[in-house]
Amino acid sequence: MPNATGLLRTVCFGMFVILSASNVAHADGPPFDLPVDCLNGECQIVHYVDHDAGPEIRDYACGTTTYNGHRGTDFAVPDEATMLSGVAVRSVADGTVAALREGVEDIDSGRVDAKDLAGIECGNGILINHADGWQSQYCHLRRGSLAVKQGDRVGRGQQIAEIGMSGQATFPHLHFNLRKDKQLVDPFSGTQMGASSVRDCAADNAVLWTPAARQQLVYKQVTLYGSGFAMARPNASDIKRGYGKERELPRSAPGLYFWAYLIGANDGDVIRLSLQSPNGKGGHRDFKIDLPNDQGPRAKWFFINMDRPGELWPAGTYRGEVTFTRTGAVPKMIGENTVTIR
């Protein structure tokens, strides 16, 4: 069976002209509410702030759910279909809209010439001034979804836009930045970017979020961005568009592929994909992360497949499982899917 891996890239360094905090008419600051309105757990944090000042990476919990130089927190939705359904972005606190950009197309930036994104890497975005020198920035918003204009006063929790894929983004997500006196601050560690040492690492840190927000923020060593079944070999673009998540397939389907897309894999991690037929037959395949050969944003996709045993598949329920093992830890199943063939 062929081995397939993919690489997810998104860099969010585009910034607006920052206006003076003296423009704030009515504002408040931390603790902050969540900037996303995600029902049924459809949003996941896939990248945190990178606290390592060198070429290595380290998120606030000393994990690898980040990439080199990442300056914010990425809240992702599963695919473009979810994005198009409309996922609200909300102001994390009372404030005043200091700047915004609208009109940038929602498109996978991997399909765009890099020079066409110069100066608009953040895509459609909003910058809000809060009290005491705090600012929040919201990037990659969906074109046409901005519900505020420059100078507007906004309330804590007010919808200001929707999650999109504009600017330098390769998957639908909100890139969220928080600043104090124009210095970037990680809302989990409460420190400036790069100021958190390995002695400060704690997965339960969420110091600048409200108690209600903290209840929804569970740190994961690795994130299962998506998994599912398809009748043909999937690719990264298909997965991000929402394809390859079949619940039923015909017995004449030419193939059966179980795939998984993970973010935050570390050197030596083992990802096991298992696939089992209704009669108990099947197998598994292990994929070991090998750095530096797997450098870059640590998003990888893998698949395992079965060959059709004859002209028709046996009818019934087929099951796929994703198991994650980090060196020194016990294996943990992080995802499972089923598909019915009839």
Side-chain angles (χ1 to χ4, degrees):
M1 185 195 72
N3 182 357
T5 63
L7 189 63
L8 187 70
R9 299 185 182 276
T10 173
V11 184
C12 308
F13 296 120
M15 297 175 61
F16 306 111
V17 175
I18 299 176
L19 304 184
S20 169
S22 64
N23 290 333
V24 175
H26 170 64
D28 67 348
F32 296 105
D33 287 345
L34 282 182
V36 290
D37 186 12
C38 297
L39 303 176
N40 303 317
E42 63 188 0
C43 289
Q44 301 190 73
I45 295 178
V46 295
H47 297 122
Y48 296 94
V49 172
D50 177 22
H51 283 280
D52 188 275
E56 301 301 317
I57 62 174
R58 173 169 49 87
D59 62 33
Y60 78 96
C62 283
T64 56
T65 308
T66 184
Y67 58 86
N68 191 30
H70 191 243
R71 298 170 54 83
T73 305
D74 288 346
F75 294 83
V77 294
D79 46 49
E80 292 180 39
T82 303
M83 178 192 82
L84 294 174
S85 72
V87 180
V89 173
R90 300 185 182 278
S91 177
V92 296
D94 295 348
T96 300
V97 177
L100 54 79
R101 180 190 296 117
E102 169 65 292
V104 182
E105 184 177 5
D106 293 285
I107 187 171
D108 184 340
S109 63
R111 307 199 299 267
V112 179
D113 194 312
K115 71 177 187 302
D116 294 332
L117 297 173
I120 58 169
E121 290 87 348
C122 177
N124 303 313
I126 297 172
L127 180 71
I128 297 177
N129 285 337
H130 307 290
D132 300 323
W134 286 99
Q135 293 177 313
S136 57
Q137 183 180 7
Y138 311 76
C139 292
H140 310 315
L141 305 176
R142 185 180 174 190
R143 182 170 63 175
S145 75
L146 274 65
V148 295
K149 61 182 183 301
Q150 186 172 331
D152 280 356
R153 290 169 54 178
V154 295
R156 177 183 288 264
Q158 178 180 331
Q159 180 170 341
I160 56 176
E162 293 177 358
I163 286 179
M165 195 171 60
S166 58
Q168 196 160 353
T170 60
F171 62 105
H173 70 286
L174 168 71
H175 175 89
F176 174 76
N177 277 353
L178 192 63
R179 301 189 190 95
K180 178 71 164 71
D181 300 325
K182 301 184 181 180
Q183 298 298 313
L184 190 138
V185 175
D186 183 347
F188 289 87
S189 67
T191 62
Q192 291 184 13
M193 181 180 179
S196 176
S197 74
V198 294
R199 296 185 300 274
D200 303 318
C201 290
D204 59 354
N205 277 349
V207 296
L208 294 180
W209 300 111
T210 62
R214 294 179 68 170
Q215 290 181 0
Q216 302 181 58
L217 298 171
V218 178
Y219 180 81
K220 299 176 182 177
Q221 286 185 315
V222 67
T223 299
L224 180 61
Y225 179 68
S227 60
F229 282 96
M231 72 170 86
R233 175 177 171 171
N235 61 47
S237 294
D238 289 344
I239 290 168
K240 287 183 284 185
R241 289 179 180 139
Y243 304 152
K245 298 181 180 179
E246 306 295 344
R247 298 294 181 88
E248 280 192 16
L249 289 173
R251 295 185 64 193
S252 59
L256 182 64
Y257 292 78
F258 176 61
W259 60 267
Y261 205 134
L262 292 95
I263 301 177
N266 200 2
D267 192 21
D269 288 350
V270 177
I271 313 301
R272 170 171 289 188
L273 267 59
S274 304
L275 179 56
Q276 190 173 61
S277 67
N279 57 16
K281 294 183 179 179
H284 67 264
R285 182 162 185 180
D286 291 343
F287 302 86
K288 185 173 182 178
I289 304 300
D290 178 19
L291 302 179
N293 294 328
D294 289 329
Q295 286 291 354
R298 298 183 183 181
K300 313 290 176 185
W301 67 276
F302 313 93
F303 68 83
I304 184 172
N305 70 299
M306 280 184 177
D307 293 326
R308 190 175 65 196
E311 293 186 2
L312 296 174
W313 289 98
T317 299
Y318 292 72
R319 180 176 302 276
E321 295 181 353
V322 185
T323 304
F324 166 73
T325 306
R326 180 153 287 176
T327 303
V330 297
K332 179 181 180 181
M333 190 174 74
I334 59 174
E336 61 179 328
N337 300 79
T338 60
V339 65
T340 300
I341 292 184
R342 53 168 136 231

